[in-house]
Amino acid sequence: MTFSSIIVHYREIGLKGRNRARFEDALVKNIKDTIALRGLDVRRIFGRILITLGQDVSHELIAERLRHVPGVSHFLFAVRVAPTMPEMSQAAVALLQSSEPFTTFRIEARRSEKDFPFSSMDVNRAVGAAAVAALGKRVKLVEPERTCTIEIVGRNAFLSLARVPGPGGLPAGISGTVAALLSGGIDSPVAAYKMIKRGARTVFVHFHSMPFTSPASVAKVRDLAAILARFQGASTLYLVPFADIQKTVMMETAARYRVLLYRRLMMRVAEALTRKDRVGALVTGESLGQVASQTLQNISAIGEAATLPVLRPLVGDDKEDIITEARKIGTFETSIQPHDDCCQVFLPRSPATKARVADLEMEEARLNIPALVQQALEKTTVEEIQPKWQN
């Protein structure tokens, strides 16, 4: 059966009160930009977003892209008919006939306007009875094999058999801009995704140690950024050469503090790089206690180098939580490809686990911090990353 419409549902946006229209408009714009098909009509209707489909559009392409739009809780491909009992009954029978074989079903109607002459229960009974008479199937209200939903909105009724989950959250860009430190590992892409899902447009900053690491590590990060761009559109990636800075730190400071000094420098560089993007916070993939540099004391000491807030969306997650999320958003297979991490190249044997800020500042006194930051800024390259779609 040919679907003429998609009904897009949201959850959290519906709680925004007087700001709700602004969030809905942002979601409409993001849907249009993400699907990127000419002639696609996307508009707000009562408590939903309505997408009217043209002819010869790929349902698979639209579904794949809608699944990556933050703010969308779920969506349904639907047929649109007049909200009369005969029209709704006929459409429900046709939909059920077009599905895979089944023995049990239910009708689940909702009204957006209470002045509709029939209650939702009336619609369920009448349409269900028509389907039983036409198909000879059995109604089952709990866990049926098929559920035909009917959404009555204004002068239209929309019928569907299946709903597709979206990421939920808030529309990308509605909450300002953040800068995420993106490595080639599993954690940082998930942290960046969580901020995108909360409505923060995210720019990516990657520190690399070429020529001590291979160009493949940078290519891998480009791929990760392109996967994350599915959720927010074209994205900015800053590539920061860090090897010379690491060598300076290695030669001038105590080995046990080396990784923490690297990360404090990264905070300073990321802030300076993204100032023109008007970022409101830095984002890292740190998870409390996961590695030696991520003890409570070390996390605090690293963050102290930044003047912006440092957000750590994964701080309370264990590794299995993070891996599950990485699989869900599509970054896991890329993240587990072998790569050279810039900090691993110059990693000391016994890193400090409970560093004090005073100790780190004493080591930093041996360095010309402003000059090192400026050196990184001058050598950084900037790329625009387009979304990488599977179809």
Side-chain angles (χ1 to χ4, degrees):
M1 192 167 187
T2 302
F3 295 107
S4 59
S5 309
I6 301 175
I7 301 295
V8 178
H9 286 258
Y10 48 75
R11 290 198 184 100
E12 194 170 345
I13 292 173
L15 305 176
K16 294 302 178 182
R18 287 178 292 181
N19 290 319
R20 176 170 166 172
R22 182 169 69 93
F23 283 78
E24 289 177 331
D25 288 341
L27 181 56
V28 167
K29 180 182 183 301
N30 290 350
I31 289 172
K32 289 179 179 178
D33 292 346
T34 302
I35 297 177
L37 292 177
R38 290 183 179 180
L40 200 70
D41 184 53
V42 185
R43 65 181 65 184
R44 295 160 50 192
I45 59 174
F46 188 89
R48 303 159 177 81
I49 306 296
L50 170 63
I51 303 175
T52 302
L53 301 174
Q55 294 182 340
D56 301 322
V57 297
S58 169
H59 290 182
E60 291 78 11
L61 181 148
I62 292 175
E64 171 66 11
R65 298 194 176 187
L66 263 184
R67 287 194 310 105
H68 290 84
V69 179
V72 173
S73 66
H74 67 273
F75 58 93
L76 308 95
F77 284 88
V79 294
R80 184 194 314 203
V81 299
T84 66
M85 290 299 189
E87 290 272 359
M88 292 187 291
S89 297
Q90 183 178 354
V93 169
L95 264 181
L96 290 165
Q97 280 181 323
S98 68
S99 71
E100 295 293 323
F102 66 96
T103 58
T104 61
F105 76 99
R106 70 179 173 191
I107 306 296
E108 192 173 82
R110 300 186 185 91
R111 303 173 300 161
S112 65
E113 299 173 13
K114 299 308 178 186
D115 59 355
F116 184 72
F118 303 102
S119 69
S120 297
M121 191 62 69
D122 292 334
V123 176
N124 291 343
R125 290 194 187 103
V127 176
V132 169
L135 303 174
K137 306 298 183 182
R138 181 167 58 89
V139 172
K140 184 181 180 185
L141 299 182
V142 179
E143 297 184 355
E145 295 174 55
R146 297 287 178 274
T147 296
C148 177
T149 62
I150 303 175
E151 300 193 22
I152 301 168
V153 186
R155 298 180 179 179
N156 296 287
F158 300 92
L159 290 85
S160 176
L161 287 184
R163 68 189 214 170
V164 184
L170 298 174
I174 202 74
S175 302
T177 304
V178 298
L181 277 63
L182 187 66
S183 72
I186 296 171
D187 300 348
S188 61
V190 176
Y193 164 75
K194 286 196 169 188
M195 297 310 302
I196 294 171
K197 185 179 172 181
R198 295 311 305 158
R201 177 154 291 281
T202 302
V203 299
F204 307 118
V205 183
H206 176 65
F207 294 85
H208 64 83
S209 295
M210 291 193 300
F212 297 97
T213 58
S214 72
S217 65
V218 172
K220 176 181 178 179
V221 167
R222 289 192 185 102
D223 286 342
L224 288 169
I227 294 170
L228 292 169
R230 297 173 188 169
F231 298 96
Q232 66 172 6
S235 302
T236 300
L237 172 63
Y238 293 92
L239 296 172
V240 187
F242 206 54
D244 289 341
I245 294 173
Q246 288 176 288
K247 286 193 292 183
T248 300
V249 172
M250 183 177 65
M251 290 186 294
E252 301 294 336
T253 64
R256 65 192 306 263
Y257 296 119
R258 197 177 297 159
V259 172
L260 303 181
L261 296 173
Y262 296 157
R263 296 199 183 280
R264 282 169 61 91
L265 274 163
M266 289 177 181
M267 295 291 176
R268 296 182 175 104
V269 171
E271 274 195 352
L273 271 179
T274 59
R275 192 168 290 127
K276 64 180 178 296
D277 299 300
R278 298 183 179 180
V279 302
L282 303 179
V283 179
T284 75
E286 291 164 312
S287 174
L288 185 61
Q290 189 176 118
V291 296
S293 65
Q294 294 175 17
T295 64
L296 191 59
Q297 294 89 335
N298 285 356
I299 286 176
S300 177
I302 292 168
E304 192 273 342
T307 60
L308 289 173
V310 181
L311 306 180
R312 301 175 176 88
L314 310 183
V315 69
D317 292 349
D318 64 31
K319 197 66 176 183
E320 287 305 313
D321 295 332
I322 299 168
I323 290 172
T324 297
E325 192 74 357
R327 291 184 188 277
K328 178 181 172 184
I329 66 176
T331 57
F332 180 74
E333 294 301 327
T334 301
S335 291
I336 62 173
Q337 294 172 9
H339 77 288
D340 303 314
D341 180 82
C342 69
C343 288
Q344 295 292 330
V345 174
F346 300 99
L347 187 67
R349 289 185 178 181
S350 301
T353 58
K354 295 182 179 181
R356 298 182 305 170
V357 173
D359 294 331
L360 297 177
E361 288 177 340
M362 188 177 300
E363 294 298 320
E364 286 175 341
R366 306 169 186 267
L367 305 168
N368 187 339
I369 296 294
L372 292 176
V373 171
Q374 185 59 35
Q375 176 184 331
L377 299 183
E378 291 173 356
K379 295 183 178 181
T380 294
T381 58
V382 188
E383 298 182 6
E384 183 177 278
I385 304 295
Q386 297 298 327
K388 181 180 182 180
W389 296 105
Q390 295 176 338
N391 56 28

